[in-house]
Amino acid sequence: MTATPAKAQTAGDIDALNLVLNMEYLLAQFESAAVAAAVPADRLTGNGIAGVAVRGGAAVSFSDTVLRSMVQEMANDNRNHLLPIRNVIGALSVRQPLIDISVSPTAPFSMLMQQAGVVGAGVTFNPYASEENFLYAMFFLKNVSVATYRGLASTISNRVVVQNFTGLLGAEAIHLATIRSYLYARGATNQRLRDNADKIAAYQNSLNGGGVFQGVSPRTRTTAVSASPITVANIAPAQSDGAVSGRSAGQMLNQFYLSSAATASGGFFPEGVNGTIRTSASA
């Protein structure tokens, strides 16, 4: 993202970018922890009432070295995303708020997987315990990141920022496609992976009162070039027009707060996000 002075943006641009910055803090911390890397402290400073802290995080024992290499790249990308976003916002950048990526029966990952039906009520879900669990966690987070960039792009008024905003969307979309491909491919011999991804997407839609999130199970489509419906893969969560839809700022916070109600904290951000946009939507 090309650095642009903060004064060149409207207040609305800065508010939206700061909201995205909160999201990128979460992505960078979770992915970096999974590959035993750290987010540089000088990329976490700024304005806001919450301190710079993270609850939890652990390295994943990857048996698939290709997957580990891909996650290392994703973690590096998300750490790097912090720099251009902060450069564009300038002195008005918010600091990293308190982030919870811990492991317990009441931790955010456990709560969302319980609500989705991936694990039973009161059961701990550990996203670092296996590649399968990690893929589920990444599926949730990357679903939100792509929907957020897609949804907020239309709210940015500065054309330079919009141009670079779409660059970050492109990176996140490739990350999501990679995770979806792994779940889809592995699900060909282990149906549980596709079933659980479908459950997670359904839960995400429930947080927004319906919506655009999709699982990875094959879909039946009617096409203009086929006389009868055909079954296709579900790598891209595209709608009937072939495009991926977005979520609003408030809907994005529903996802990260794990609440379908209007609230200013919860889930992965126990004290809320930093910035002007802090309250989730009411589904």
Side-chain angles (χ1 to χ4, degrees):
M1 178 180 281
T2 304
T4 306
K7 65 182 180 181
Q9 276 74 64
T10 66
D13 286 354
I14 293 171
D15 291 343
L17 288 168
N18 268 326
L19 181 60
V20 168
L21 187 56
N22 282 275
M23 178 180 73
E24 289 286 355
Y25 285 141
L26 170 59
L27 294 171
Q29 292 290 3
F30 176 64
E31 293 162 20
S32 295
V35 293
V39 181
D42 61 0
R43 302 184 190 184
L44 307 175
T45 59
N47 303 296
I49 57 174
V52 177
V54 179
R55 291 179 185 165
V60 176
S61 294
F62 290 95
S63 58
D64 185 334
T65 57
V66 174
L67 178 58
R68 175 182 172 80
S69 178
M70 290 179 174
V71 176
Q72 287 176 319
E73 180 180 0
M74 293 180 197
N76 189 60
D77 287 346
N78 283 112
R79 289 193 298 270
N80 286 339
H81 286 177
L82 298 173
L83 292 172
I85 297 173
R86 290 167 60 86
N87 285 341
V88 168
I89 304 171
L92 296 178
S93 297
V94 295
R95 73 178 69 179
Q96 178 189 283
L98 175 63
I99 288 173
D100 189 350
I101 51 174
S102 63
V103 178
S104 78
T106 57
F109 279 119
S110 292
M111 296 304 293
L112 87 85
M113 295 302 173
Q114 290 169 24
Q115 293 297 316
V118 174
V119 298
V123 175
T124 296
F125 176 87
N126 183 348
Y128 315 102
S130 66
E131 288 180 353
E132 180 177 336
N133 282 8
F134 178 75
L135 287 169
Y136 294 151
M138 284 286 278
F139 177 72
F140 176 89
L141 294 175
K142 291 299 182 179
N143 268 347
V144 184
S145 68
V146 170
T148 297
Y149 274 114
R150 173 68 175 84
L152 295 185
S154 62
T155 72
I156 305 295
S157 60
N158 184 285
R159 291 183 60 83
V160 174
V161 178
V162 170
Q163 241 182 347
N164 293 282
F165 203 74
T166 56
L168 299 180
L169 168 60
E172 290 300 302
I174 293 170
H175 292 180
L176 174 59
T178 300
I179 299 301
R180 293 179 67 89
S181 296
Y182 260 83
L183 288 167
Y184 181 83
R186 290 187 177 186
T189 55
N190 184 352
Q191 185 62 38
R192 180 179 67 245
L193 276 78
R194 293 182 181 179
D195 290 344
N196 283 337
D198 293 348
K199 291 176 182 178
I200 293 167
Y203 171 64
Q204 292 188 269
N205 284 327
S206 74
L207 291 173
N208 294 147
V212 300
F213 297 106
Q214 294 180 19
V216 300
S217 290
R219 295 174 293 176
T220 299
R221 289 288 184 88
T222 300
T223 69
V225 296
S226 175
S228 59
I230 60 174
T231 299
V232 298
N234 197 358
I235 303 306
Q239 304 303 302
S240 59
D241 61 357
V244 174
S245 296
R247 300 281 77 182
S248 68
Q251 290 173 322
M252 171 264 227
L253 289 174
N254 288 125
Q255 300 292 319
F256 288 132
Y257 291 162
L258 303 180
S259 173
S260 60
T263 185
S265 63
F268 296 98
F269 296 99
E271 298 174 353
V273 296
N274 276 323
T276 302
I277 303 173
R278 304 188 73 244
T279 304
S280 58
S282 177

